Amino acid sequence: MDHTKLLCDISELNHLFRDSVSVENFLQQITEMVSSHMQTEVCSIYLYDNDEEILTLKATKGLNHEMIGKITLALGEGLTGISLKELRPINISNATQHPDNKLFLGTGEQDYESFLAVPIARGVERIGVMVLQRQQSHTFSDSDVLACKAVASQLANIIENARFIISMHSEHEEKAHPTVKESQSRLIHGKVASEGYCLGETLVLDKEKTFNSLLQRRFTRLYTIKDFKKAVKQTENQLEEMQEEVEEKLSDAASLIFASHLLILKDHEFIGQMENMIALGTNPPQAILQIAKKYMDIFDKAQNIFVREKVQDIEDLTVRLISNITSDQEIVPNYRGKVIIARDIFPSELLKMTSEKIGGIILVSGGVTSHLSILASSLAIPMVIANDLTLLKVANKTKVLLDAETGNIYLKPKQDVIDEFQRRNKQKEKILQLEHNVKGETLTSDSQKITLLANINLLGDISLAKKVKCEGVGLYRTEFPFIVRNNFPSEQEQYVTYRKLVTSMKGQPVIFRTLDVGGDKMLSYYHNTIEQNPAIGMRSIRFSLENKDVFIQQIRAILRAGEGENLKIMFPMISSIDEFDAAKSIVLECIDSLHNESEGFNSKPAIGMMIELPSVVELIDDFAKEADFFSIGTNDFIQFMLGVDRTNEKVASFYMPYHPSVLRAMKTIVESVQAHGKEISVCGSMSSDEKYIKFLLGIGLRVLSVNPSHLPRIQKVINSIAISDAQAYATELVSQKRACDVARLMALQD
Ligand code: PEP
Ligand code: MG
């Protein structure tokens, strides 16, 4: 195809642009011209905002026009985002199947197979992306790509000149709508942290704002000391009710979660000072606010996270007291069914919200393998992490469709989007029902047995794990009951929780992973200094060895709970044999001391370790002689192999499970451990991801520990794999030296 005419037309547009009043109109003309010339059904232009770091669809020929301005992508997100990030064209023939492709509901994109994205850039300065799409499944020819690159470079110059106009538009819009009342529907793409979906209304969590607005409020009505006492009692009853509700559901984790609220409420100083002020003539709401503010100011200065968390507790409590005394229901946010938008949430807050039945969560920071995400999954709360601070400005009660299956957030969704979404969910439910026909035994297509174990975070996960017929627990994250509480659970409290787990598994193996706190799993009552690098700080097994009393109580509780059962104890984050020896000797000491007591216990637990640190790889042969079993924690293993923070969404694209070093190291580990006749499994997120199952089986893994909700899907995938194919596939993957080549080979499998 001769593209000269197109290029001439485009340069003509330079003049056209100068006369044009609207940048959007100008871009629209370009898309029409390019699509007609290149004979593509679709041509779209996305522009990049350097400050917000997002790409937005600005013009399109072929896609639904209503999506203009609403589809946004982060740099590196989807094929379009990758093209701009890596400043290279992306040309593929089967876009709908591509793992990096992002399909947006309501655009009509699902009909197009050929896909060409060409970055619009000046040097390394990113300006936008031009995307061409065709229904037919063919890659674009080299000359098409060249022509588009030429168009893109012309456009770069023109748009560069137009930038100030575009920015003036957006500034004007900002001023007109300081708190962004969404006038139209908008789509934001995020990452799925906990699967599910919810159609509800937004509630931006900004407690400070609620409290500050109360501080400025004038209470014209006068209240009495009797009203105050009544409000205190009413608040106490509400908190106790909430406590009961959450405990019923989460007996292991939620114990005394509202305890500090109740304690403050019963504190004579706190309430007494309010009563004194009231006696001297201050209107009770004013007295409540003044005293609360005084305490909050004192606590706010503290460095300690625990104390800072208390500030929030006082804030919560005060808001509740004012709401009760004034009978103003509007003050205390009603969480029920709401999609909460927040910068960050404490695990304990998440539990509190669960007790109030929230619909879903949107976080504007964090990572999908962070522990808040893991906790949200266990609590079955849909959660999406979207790196978009404008979300915090969304007006409350804005209708929102949170699709935590794809990561899409639709603000003010149109009815057709809701309909399409509901139709998809109905189909999914049908598939899920089929999938729930899980078998008790998992076989490959060539009849090799694979053992599927469950990852358990809270006791509430057990019922699903049993429903999907797991063959035991491959990872019980014991830290969750520790994280959400206000103090360390005692040995007896731990025993009760652990015993419930062990007995409900009826003789199946249960792997207790010892306390893995620190990193993003802070104990607010313990971690009183803020570490520069918590992920590599006083965490995990280091914490346990440093705090032997806590460790000993936990080991004793585990040993006692495992009496007569198939008990396995596993240490997290082991970095050296010395550390493994030290941890193991504590287990042996606990066994010794329990022999002298009357309690029943398990004197022969298997003692194993997680493989999460690169330092283990080099010594794996020696480790294999020491530990009884191993489990690869890929979440941390990848984080530390690649030096990428798993909780930081901004570096998520560097977090590559398919990196050749990760794959080769895993193969070495599995082979060495098996050569010593020891058992090895994978319990990180990689084993719950369909994409990696063939590789895992190919390197010899026969035991996988997965999230119970993923087990049916994983079983189905395994049923379709033959071990000999998997071996050849794994060999091919590990022979690659570039991550992009591994990704390409993996994409071919889909
Ligand atoms: C892991 O690191 O892969 C793992 C299973 O442990 P956690 O996710 O609890 O850190
Ligand atoms: Mg880990």
Side-chain angles (χ1 to χ4, degrees):
M1 197 182 288
D2 176 11
H3 298 303
T4 333
K5 179 169 183 309
L6 173 69
L7 292 177
C8 293
D9 288 348
I10 294 285
S11 24
E12 275 299 295
L13 280 178
N14 248 328
H15 300 285
L16 217 167
F17 174 67
R18 260 177 241 138
D19 302 333
S20 169
V21 277
S22 142
V23 178
E24 286 76 10
N25 177 24
F26 163 72
L27 294 177
Q28 189 58 37
Q29 290 185 60
I30 304 247
T31 57
E32 280 164 21
M33 189 176 283
V34 174
S35 108
S36 126
H37 177 83
M38 305 289 274
Q39 293 169 12
T40 60
E41 284 92 351
V42 178
C43 173
S44 312
I45 293 178
Y46 294 77
L47 290 192
Y48 184 60
D49 181 327
N50 259 310
D51 296 334
E52 300 279 345
E53 297 183 352
I54 49 171
L55 264 169
T56 307
L57 177 69
K58 290 288 184 185
T60 181
K61 162 78 183 35
L63 296 186
N64 181 354
H65 269 227
E66 293 195 348
M67 302 313 253
I68 290 176
K70 287 174 208 147
I71 293 189
T72 57
L73 289 159
L75 191 62
E77 187 181 335
L79 294 169
T80 308
I82 293 174
S83 165
L84 186 64
K85 182 169 180 219
E86 297 177 6
L87 292 176
R88 65 177 175 95
I90 292 185
N91 182 7
I92 48 177
S93 58
N94 56 343
T96 60
Q97 304 301 317
H98 197 282
D100 287 325
N101 194 17
K102 299 264 182 242
L103 286 177
F104 290 98
L105 282 181
T107 54
E109 278 188 299
Q110 64 279 7
D111 299 332
Y112 303 107
E113 286 298 351
S114 309
F115 178 99
L116 172 64
V118 179
I120 306 171
R122 262 163 65 116
V124 291
E125 196 188 339
R126 296 176 170 87
I127 293 173
V129 184
M130 185 162 78
V131 176
L132 301 187
Q133 288 167 289
R134 280 194 193 122
Q135 270 179 4
Q136 277 175 344
S137 172
H138 283 305
T139 46
F140 285 83
S141 70
D142 288 351
S143 84
D144 289 346
V145 177
L146 270 178
C148 285
K149 277 168 106 175
V151 171
S153 94
Q154 290 265 17
L155 274 179
N157 288 326
I158 302 173
I159 297 171
E160 187 62 9
N161 293 335
R163 269 255 166 100
F164 76 97
I165 299 179
I166 299 171
S167 66
M168 260 169 48
H169 284 180
S170 51
E171 260 171 41
H172 175 74
E173 275 160 26
E174 278 264 294
K175 279 180 195 134
H177 307 285
T179 50
V180 188
K181 204 164 174 119
E182 305 288 324
S183 54
Q184 295 177 330
S185 51
R186 179 154 75 109
L187 170 62
I188 295 148
H189 193 78
K191 284 239 159 79
V192 178
S194 166
E195 283 184 17
Y197 56 87
C198 169
L199 179 63
E201 287 180 350
T202 56
L203 175 64
V204 178
L205 202 66
D206 193 347
K207 293 183 185 160
E208 225 178 276
K209 205 163 129 202
T210 316
F211 187 79
N212 287 342
S213 72
L214 281 181
L215 277 180
Q216 277 150 28
R217 187 156 149 182
R218 290 203 183 152
F219 296 91
T220 41
R221 197 185 134 186
L222 288 179
Y223 298 89
T224 63
I225 186 81
K226 212 168 141 207
D227 297 327
F228 172 75
K229 288 192 167 153
K230 197 170 140 216
V232 172
K233 188 74 203 143
Q234 198 178 348
T235 307
E236 194 178 316
N237 292 344
Q238 284 166 353
L239 291 169
E240 274 167 0
E241 248 172 57
M242 282 155 66
Q243 177 66 38
E244 266 168 38
E245 181 160 346
V246 77
E247 259 179 45
E248 213 170 88
K249 272 206 255 139
L250 303 158
S251 60
D252 48 344
S255 143
L256 298 181
I257 193 156
F258 290 100
S260 69
H261 290 64
L262 283 161
L263 272 179
I264 301 167
L265 201 56
K266 287 179 181 163
D267 179 53
H268 290 304
E269 275 282 310
F270 186 72
I271 295 295
Q273 288 189 33
M274 291 176 185
E275 285 176 346
N276 287 344
M277 278 188 82
I278 298 167
L280 290 172
T282 310
N283 197 9
Q286 224 66 57
I288 295 169
L289 285 164
Q290 275 187 36
I291 299 299
K293 180 84 175 72
K294 186 173 122 189
Y295 275 80
M296 282 164 61
D297 286 346
I298 297 169
F299 289 152
D300 222 9
K301 295 197 180 77
Q303 284 286 306
N304 185 327
I305 299 173
F306 175 56
V307 177
R308 280 200 278 130
E309 211 173 322
K310 293 288 140 273
V311 174
Q312 295 212 358
D313 288 348
I314 298 181
E315 224 166 55
D316 274 1
L317 189 65
T318 308
V319 170
R320 216 167 262 287
L321 274 171
I322 301 274
S323 157
N324 284 333
I325 198 165
T326 58
S327 306
D328 184 348
Q329 307 295 334
E330 291 284 296
I331 301 176
V332 176
N334 178 2
Y335 290 117
R336 188 173 284 263
K338 294 276 172 23
V339 174
I340 309 295
I341 304 178
R343 206 179 279 272
D344 200 6
I345 291 179
F346 287 113
S348 53
E349 276 181 307
L350 183 58
L351 282 190
K352 286 172 202 157
M353 289 177 189
T354 311
S355 75
E356 297 188 53
K357 302 194 172 60
I358 54 168
I361 296 183
I362 300 170
L363 278 194
V364 296
S365 67
V368 292
T369 61
S370 77
H371 288 84
L372 198 77
S373 312
I374 293 172
L375 184 60
S377 298
S378 279
L379 296 169
I381 298 173
M383 178 162 124
V384 167
I385 297 177
N387 215 333
D388 182 341
L389 292 177
T390 63
L391 279 163
L392 292 171
K393 293 193 201 154
V394 171
N396 283 346
K397 297 196 179 161
T398 302
K399 194 164 185 183
V400 58
L401 194 163
L402 179 68
D403 181 359
E405 301 276 334
T406 61
N408 286 342
I409 302 162
Y410 300 84
L411 291 170
K412 285 209 161 175
K414 289 250 158 64
Q415 193 53 43
D416 57 340
V417 171
I418 298 176
D419 292 345
E420 198 173 329
F421 175 80
Q422 278 167 343
R423 190 172 41 78
R424 186 200 75 188
N425 283 337
K426 271 204 192 105
Q427 269 173 354
K428 273 218 154 139
E429 271 162 28
K430 271 190 210 148
I431 296 169
L432 266 183
Q433 276 163 7
L434 284 181
E435 281 194 355
H436 273 281
N437 285 334
V438 277
K439 300 177 200 79
E441 191 179 48
T442 305
L443 298 175
T444 58
S445 68
D446 49 356
S447 306
Q448 285 261 5
K449 175 163 168 46
I450 308 296
T451 303
L452 289 183
L453 305 174
N455 288 352
I456 300 285
N457 305 322
L458 294 171
L459 292 190
D461 298 331
I462 299 173
S463 70
L464 181 60
K466 294 187 69 101
K467 208 152 121 198
V468 297
K469 305 192 179 118
C470 72
E471 296 186 63
V473 174
L475 169 70
Y476 172 45
R477 290 184 164 101
T478 57
E479 57 276 7
F480 279 99
F482 283 75
I483 301 171
V484 294
R485 293 171 54 108
N486 299 310
N487 52 18
F488 285 107
S490 66
E491 178 184 323
Q492 188 59 20
E493 281 173 301
Q494 292 179 61
Y495 164 78
V496 171
T497 302
Y498 300 164
R499 186 73 190 159
K500 272 190 203 154
L501 170 65
V502 170
T503 51
S504 65
M505 294 316 292
K506 301 203 164 60
Q508 290 182 324
V510 178
I511 300 181
F512 280 83
R513 197 257 306 268
T514 62
L515 202 56
D516 185 23
V517 293
D520 68 329
K521 294 181 276 192
M522 297 289 209
L523 300 181
S524 54
Y525 46 92
Y526 175 83
H527 288 98
N528 50 13
T529 49
I530 295 168
E531 293 181 300
Q532 284 285 332
N533 292 303
I536 47 174
M538 183 47 71
R539 62 171 295 193
S540 215
I541 195 67
R542 293 176 198 158
F543 171 95
S544 295
L545 292 173
E546 181 85 3
N547 295 278
K548 289 219 173 69
D549 290 350
V550 177
F551 193 36
I552 287 170
Q553 283 190 17
Q554 176 172 52
I555 298 291
R556 284 174 55 92
I558 294 174
L559 291 168
R560 286 173 52 210
E563 185 193 5
E565 304 288 343
N566 191 343
L567 178 68
K568 298 180 167 195
I569 298 177
M570 174 164 81
F571 308 125
M573 299 279 295
I574 292 286
S575 66
S576 64
I577 296 185
D578 316 55
E579 216 166 31
F580 179 79
D581 289 344
K584 183 174 169 177
S585 71
I586 289 185
V587 178
L588 300 181
E589 278 166 29
C590 288
I591 291 175
D592 258 0
S593 72
L594 279 164
H595 271 301
N596 301 325
E597 298 173 26
S598 54
E599 303 277 359
F601 70 103
N602 189 319
S603 63
K604 291 211 164 32
I607 302 179
M609 58 176 266
M610 293 191 73
I611 299 178
E612 298 181 284
L613 294 173
S615 63
V616 174
V617 184
E618 200 60 34
L619 280 173
I620 189 64
D621 257 326
D622 300 284
F623 272 112
K625 292 175 200 141
E626 306 295 328
D628 294 333
F629 68 93
F630 296 83
S631 190
I632 308 177
T634 52
N635 301 341
D636 278 312
F637 189 65
I638 296 163
Q639 152 163 270
F640 293 116
M641 276 294 276
L642 305 182
V644 184
D645 182 352
R646 71 191 249 193
T647 68
N648 182 351
E649 194 44 34
K650 285 202 171 142
V651 290
S653 62
F654 297 96
Y655 188 92
M656 291 179 278
Y658 54 87
H659 190 293
S661 300
V662 172
L663 301 187
R664 287 188 200 182
M666 287 180 71
K667 185 166 188 278
T668 307
I669 291 165
V670 173
E671 285 171 356
S672 305
V673 169
Q674 288 176 343
H676 288 273
K678 302 283 173 72
E679 193 167 280
I680 180 156
S681 61
V682 172
C683 62
S685 302
M686 216 165 154
S687 59
S688 293
D689 188 338
E690 288 107 308
K691 283 203 293 291
Y692 295 106
I693 301 302
K694 192 165 177 183
F695 169 76
L696 298 178
L697 301 191
I699 57 170
L701 283 154
R702 297 294 175 265
V703 185
L704 302 177
S705 190
V706 303
N707 296 342
S709 59
H710 293 187
L711 194 146
R713 266 185 260 162
I714 297 298
Q715 183 176 74
K716 220 165 149 201
V717 172
I718 293 173
N719 294 155
S720 70
I721 295 174
I723 291 293
S724 53
D725 286 349
Q727 283 164 339
Y729 174 68
T731 307
E732 197 180 4
L733 292 197
V734 296
S735 70
Q736 304 304 313
K737 61 183 175 208
R738 292 195 173 84
C740 61
D741 289 332
V742 179
R744 186 179 44 77
L745 287 170
M746 287 178 60
L748 289 177
Q749 286 292 315
D750 297 337

